[in-house]
Amino acid sequence: MQNRVIWALSLFFAFSNIPGEAQTIQVLKNRAKSPLGIQLNSNETAAAEQGTIQLSSEREILYTPSDSFTGEDRIRIADNSQTRSITVDVRSHPNFVFILTDDQSWTGLSTPTDRNHSHSASDYHQTPRIDQLAQSGMRFSRGYSPAPNCSPTRYANLTGKTCARLHFTDIVGRGHTLPPEGTYRLIPISKEIRDIQENERTLPELLKSIPDTRYRTAHLGKWHLDGGGPEKHGFDLSDGNTGNGEGNEGNPVNDDPKRAYSITERATRFISDSVKTGDPFYCQVSHYAVHAAIQHRSDTLDKLAHLKPGNNHSSSAYAAMVADMDAAVGILLNHLDALGLRQSTYVIYQADNGAPQFMSNAYPLRRYKPEIWEGGIRVPTFFRGPGIPENSQCDQPMMGIDLLPTIWGLASGHANQLPRDLDGTSISHWLFGDTNQVIQRPGELVVHSPHYVVSEDLAKNQRPSSALHAGPWKLVAWYETGDVHLFNLEEDLSESIDQSKEHPQ
């Protein structure tokens, strides 16, 4: 344990560039007592020209802008001998950073994804920066990807619709016109929709439609939706029409594993440019990690040498890939702090689906990607930003389809201007601490995968099926046999007790 802690700290400081005080700090209007990350000495005082100042018990400056004020305010900090000043930029609209990871298990981080289940943390992987992100905001113990595969999830995230509604239920390039084969009981379905459609309004397109906001948008990393690439669907800047291949380029050991660092560098440059222009931004950082094939830096693997492999996770090469991605996330978070964006930016972290069996164990969840069991769709999910209580947890089920309406509401978009056929809903009540609030959904939390994705060794064993979530319940329907299973996930996290006969209603 001591070696593990020492390694975690060394990794943190090796990849961290702890920023000093930013000269300009962004905050949101109508947001009371925004902590500015500035602590006063006992002999110092502070005053603002257009807002009010309070001090926390640790003498950190808490700033509240005057009613409806936007623009730059000056905070003067004085002691007996000198005066210094900090500029506060009071903003009407927040920024957003969405970090989307690839094939990451619910149990793949060194922080618990559910504080009520110790096994929800890895017994080997070290992710100190992502752990900090989780601790500085809200973790969703029941955060779900819209599909057990990447392409459908990415489409659903961008549109707020289930994959069933989108008729997009398998990855790009697979499942188009499969003939009946083997001993499958059903004729394998062909994909009705093969790429992202022009008529679907995406989140960046919607943000750009908010009057007088001038949102800048970027998509860096893996796209895997075809349709001409991100810039055909609302993004100003992108890496193009990318897929898994770009993330696999290079040797297993290289300085930019899974392009994690170069993706991050482009994201930080985009964010800096947005600050210079004064525009709010939405930046999606879609990592190729931790998808196969494994890549990592040489020195990152060396730092694992003194760690004892765990029972659930034991691959040092895979753990090094996880650590490199964590370090890249840390660089991005440091950059936001260095630019003074902590109190104006919402950071969202989620995986596109669970990990495959040959990459990472998902215990205590059942099974893996690409299956609709919990191991395939329950994923790490964290939100951080102004107004979100630190080190908090919500146990309500949410899904990637909720991102669009939630971000839209946080950006001050009017609900009646959203597409009418959304399935997701805003979860802002939960984010701001009312985690028991009952939220009415326009659609259902459905995972629909009517395909065969079966390997000879059954490491992949997805057969035509759907899953429906409602409160603690999960209903699973198998189209081959007509069987329906019911699980209470609050009592039975591993989906081992079928309660369909006890609760036929």
Side-chain angles (χ1 to χ4, degrees), residues 34-254:
S34 295
L36 301 187
I38 300 172
Q39 287 184 301
L40 300 186
N41 297 325
S42 58
N43 62 335
E44 288 183 316
T45 60
E49 297 175 358
Q50 299 291 339
T52 58
I53 297 293
Q54 291 179 267
L55 298 182
S56 71
S57 58
E58 291 81 21
R59 295 187 61 78
E60 180 181 5
I61 294 178
L62 306 178
Y63 172 81
T64 301
S66 301
D67 289 345
S68 301
F69 172 77
T70 58
E72 291 191 352
D73 191 5
R74 184 81 63 184
I75 297 177
R76 300 191 182 277
I77 302 172
D79 59 20
N80 296 329
S81 60
Q82 62 181 0
T83 300
R84 59 193 172 109
S85 65
I86 300 293
T87 301
V88 177
D89 184 3
V90 182
R91 315 280 295 183
S92 297
H93 303 282
N95 312 305
F96 301 94
V97 173
F98 177 31
I99 303 170
L100 181 64
T101 64
D102 200 341
D103 283 11
Q104 188 165 43
S105 170
W106 188 67
T107 63
L109 303 170
S110 51
T111 191
T113 45
D114 183 349
R115 293 181 307 192
N116 299 315
H117 290 277
S118 60
H119 289 298
S120 66
S122 174
D123 56 3
Y124 184 42
H125 303 160
Q126 298 297 302
T127 53
R129 296 314 314 277
I130 299 171
D131 297 356
Q132 284 187 330
L133 174 62
Q135 291 161 9
S136 61
M138 178 174 287
R139 68 192 76 202
F140 280 79
S141 62
R142 293 186 63 194
Y144 289 101
S145 59
N149 280 301
C150 68
S151 297
T153 284
R154 292 160 195 271
Y155 200 173
N157 288 346
L158 285 170
T159 59
K161 301 178 183 181
T162 64
C163 303
R165 185 180 300 280
L166 292 167
H167 298 275
F168 190 96
T169 49
D170 200 6
I171 65 172
V172 167
R174 182 175 71 189
H176 292 166
T177 55
L178 291 176
E181 58 184 55
T183 58
Y184 293 158
R185 300 191 185 191
L186 302 177
I187 297 175
I189 191 171
S190 63
K191 246 183 357 187
E192 182 175 339
I193 302 296
R194 303 185 182 190
D195 57 11
I196 185 171
Q197 301 294 290
E198 289 187 11
N199 63 325
E200 292 289 351
R201 298 190 73 190
T202 64
L203 173 56
E205 289 172 331
L206 286 166
L207 288 175
K208 287 175 173 294
S209 73
I210 301 176
D212 302 320
T213 59
R214 300 185 318 214
Y215 265 100
R216 301 181 77 237
T217 59
H219 184 285
L220 290 315
K222 178 177 171 180
W223 174 246
H224 212 192
L225 287 171
D226 282 350
E231 292 173 45
K232 294 288 187 180
H233 302 277
F235 290 100
D236 300 318
L237 174 72
S238 80
D239 288 340
N241 188 20
T242 56
N244 288 325
E246 285 79 1
N248 292 334
E249 293 176 355
N251 296 320
V253 179
N254 68 76

Side-chain angles (χ1 to χ4, degrees), residues 28 90 111 117 173 209 227 231 333 420 447 452 469 494:
L28 298 180
V90 182
T111 191
H117 290 277
S209 73
E231 292 173 45
L333 297 179
R420 297 298 182 185
V447 178
Y452 289 97
H469 292 268
S494 62

Side-chain angles (χ1 to χ4, degrees), residues 364-367 372-377 467 469 474-476 486-489 491-498:
L365 302 185
R366 183 171 178 175
R367 297 295 297 175
I372 64 170
W373 299 111
E374 291 293 281
I377 57 174
H469 292 268
K474 179 180 179 180
L475 189 77
V476 180
L486 182 70
F487 305 98
N488 187 320
L489 297 176
E491 303 171 354
D492 176 29
L493 184 62
S494 62
E495 298 175 282
S496 58
I497 304 171
D498 180 11

Side-chain angles (χ1 to χ4, degrees), residues 278-294:
D279 299 322
F281 60 83
Y282 172 85
C283 182
Q284 182 165 332
V285 183
S286 294
H287 279 283
Y288 298 99
V290 288
H291 192 287
I294 293 175

